[in-house]
Amino acid sequence: MHRIAAIGGDGIGPEIIAAGRTVLDAAGEAFGFDIDWTDFDIGAERYLATGELLTEEDLAELSKFRAIYFGAIGDDRVRPGILEKGILLAIRFHFDQFVNLRPVKLLEGVWTPLADKKPQDIDFVVVRENTEDFYVGIGSRFAGGREQATLDVVRDLYRVKFGLDVETDADEIAYQIGVVTREGSERVIRYAFDLARRRRGRLTSVDKANVLSDVYGLWRDVFSHVAADYPDVATEFNFVDAVTMWFVKNPEWYDVVVTPNMFGDIITDLGAMIQGGLGLAPGGNINPEGTSMFEPIHGSAPKYRGQNVANPLATIWAGSMMLDHLGEHEAAAAVLAGIEQSIAAGVVTRDMGGTATTSEVGEYIASRIRAM
Ligand code: IPM
Ligand code: MG
């Protein structure tokens, strides 16, 4: 028996989570376990009605679960950033989900915009650090007036630290600080090395140490230090700008890629596109010892809400990652195989050229798993 928390969230979130649950329940039947689901009403509707994003009670309840199955958040009626920071990032940070695991794998039968690339060429995993870097939320923005004093302090900081004289006519200034710690980098880099060891034995560190040399200089030192414990893993450093070229030109080079938070955010959208689009890109926010959360990396697509047309494959795949995390390795593999069968049979949503609805895709994959 596995107890799992479900947060459908906003937009298409509840529909894709429902399709995912149909599939995971079928996997449980086929592989001999039960899933006990607990629904959480968290998202824009509740925020608009009560002003609550995540309550202490939500967090206390969620902490009782090893896994959360998360749909999407984001709503046109709420200013961008409120729900994202107040719910999604808040859960990642609160539960210290320091690994953001994002497979970039082209499934058989899926179209990729990269000409001449086949499934065997696109099969790597991005391990994105998930609690530090520019996501820590340290920053501010100042205009003149009564904030002038603070503005002066920031100008002084710039002069002392960077030798920059910002004593210009500019009346407004903003800054945001990235934080990297030895402990924070070491745990995610170790996770990536362990993963590389179980895969093809190559690990690429992606950063921008040639410009952001303090934060990513530390990151590189930690990487090199950890590498000494893994002589069997081949390592390299890539700059993030270069990696955007190589992901397109030579994706077959990559096996496991480890990277700080913000670059991980950016390059995994690129990764999603080469694996066939956001409709096919899953992610796991993992704390190996605590509460982890599995989600599609796409958003809530509010304009398709309630129409039963959204592609549930990224969410179903995230469900497969969740089963794997819970130790149900065979069931996890069966879910992925079921996804491939639905693609082979053309039982896909219209974004992939099919006519199936969200729930039909879920039911079809569930039926394939029961027949396995
Ligand atoms: C992602 C998203 C989030 C992020 C947003 C919605 C806060 O883009 O999961 O990649 O930046 O991490
Ligand atoms: Mg993103």
Side-chain angles (χ1 to χ4, degrees):
M1 159 86 88
H2 297 287
R3 298 184 58 242
I4 299 179
I7 302 176
D10 305 330
I12 59 172
E15 298 159 56
I16 54 182
I17 285 295
R21 282 168 63 158
T22 302
V23 172
L24 299 187
D25 284 336
E29 274 172 48
F31 291 88
F33 58 88
D34 275 331
I35 302 179
D36 178 12
W37 298 97
T38 304
D39 282 296
F40 283 79
D41 169 30
I42 292 171
E45 286 305 336
R46 189 182 77 170
Y47 172 68
L48 289 167
T50 69
E52 290 167 332
L53 289 162
L54 261 186
T55 64
E56 288 300 320
E57 201 192 323
D58 294 332
L59 292 170
E61 283 304 312
L62 287 170
S63 73
K64 296 176 184 159
F65 296 84
R66 271 191 74 206
I68 303 170
Y69 199 28
F70 188 92
I73 39 111
D75 188 290
D76 299 337
R77 295 164 294 174
V78 182
R79 193 155 48 82
I82 304 273
L83 300 163
E84 291 85 342
K85 289 203 258 183
I87 297 176
L88 183 61
L89 295 182
I91 294 176
R92 290 179 186 169
F93 276 70
H94 179 84
F95 292 111
D96 203 20
Q97 295 165 341
F98 62 89
V99 172
N100 192 324
L101 190 65
R102 297 188 160 179
V104 178
K105 182 174 160 66
L106 179 65
L107 300 181
E108 204 60 61
V110 173
W111 176 83
T112 172
L114 302 188
D116 309 327
K117 297 298 179 189
K118 304 269 169 305
Q120 65 267 25
D121 301 319
I122 302 177
D123 182 6
F124 60 95
V125 181
V126 177
V127 176
R128 167 186 174 191
E129 200 289 322
N130 214 24
T131 60
E132 300 197 328
D133 198 44
F134 289 98
Y135 276 67
V136 293
I138 301 176
S140 225
R141 185 174 158 173
F142 308 100
R146 69 190 172 82
E147 284 171 335
Q148 186 62 40
T150 326
L151 181 55
D152 289 343
V153 171
V154 175
R155 282 176 173 159
D156 283 350
L157 270 174
Y158 265 74
R159 196 165 47 246
V160 173
K161 178 82 174 100
F162 306 112
L164 288 181
D165 191 358
V166 288
E167 211 74 45
T168 64
D169 296 342
D171 277 336
E172 285 190 66
I173 190 164
Y175 71 93
Q176 201 128 17
I177 291 177
V179 175
V180 167
T181 67
R182 177 168 290 276
E183 292 70 19
S185 338
E186 181 159 347
R187 58 186 185 172
V188 72
I189 288 171
R190 267 192 200 283
Y191 185 98
F193 269 102
D194 286 332
L195 183 60
R197 186 173 258 176
R198 295 197 304 276
R199 288 176 51 98
R200 299 192 299 274
R202 175 178 291 139
L203 180 61
T204 306
S205 168
V206 170
D207 64 40
K208 188 75 185 172
N210 49 344
V211 177
L212 298 163
S213 47
D214 288 317
V215 276
Y216 303 137
L218 174 56
W219 171 273
R220 281 196 177 202
D221 285 352
V222 173
F223 186 92
S224 302
H225 168 78
V226 176
D229 293 341
Y230 296 83
D232 50 320
V233 174
T235 61
E236 61 179 353
F237 291 112
N238 281 184
F239 292 129
V240 66
D241 46 352
V243 106
T244 63
M245 295 191 308
W246 300 123
F247 273 11
V248 170
K249 188 159 188 293
N250 296 113
E252 62 279 4
W253 175 258
Y254 295 98
D255 179 18
V256 179
V257 172
V258 65
T259 185
N261 209 339
M262 193 166 79
F263 297 147
D265 176 45
I266 297 166
I267 67 175
T268 52
D269 268 23
L270 175 58
M273 195 41 75
I274 68 176
Q275 77 187 116
L278 280 167
L280 279 143
N285 302 275
I286 295 171
N287 176 339
E289 264 124 51
T291 300
S292 299
M293 174 167 68
F294 298 83
E295 54 169 343
I297 84 169
H298 63 68
S300 61
K303 70 176 175 188
Y304 297 120
R305 169 183 29 210
Q307 294 174 31
N308 203 18
V309 296
N311 186 349
L313 292 185
T315 308
I316 295 170
W317 192 342
S320 160
M321 293 174 70
M322 180 164 70
L323 292 183
D324 209 42
H325 179 75
L326 294 171
E328 301 292 351
H329 307 297
E330 275 181 78
V335 170
L336 198 54
I339 291 174
E340 286 179 309
Q341 290 182 19
S342 77
I343 295 166
V347 183
V348 291
T349 45
R350 65 188 186 197
D351 56 302
M352 290 180 71
T355 56
T357 62
T358 309
S359 49
E360 280 166 2
V361 172
E363 276 150 25
Y364 181 81
I365 295 174
S367 74
R368 298 320 305 152
I369 292 170
R370 284 196 203 92
M372 273 174 203

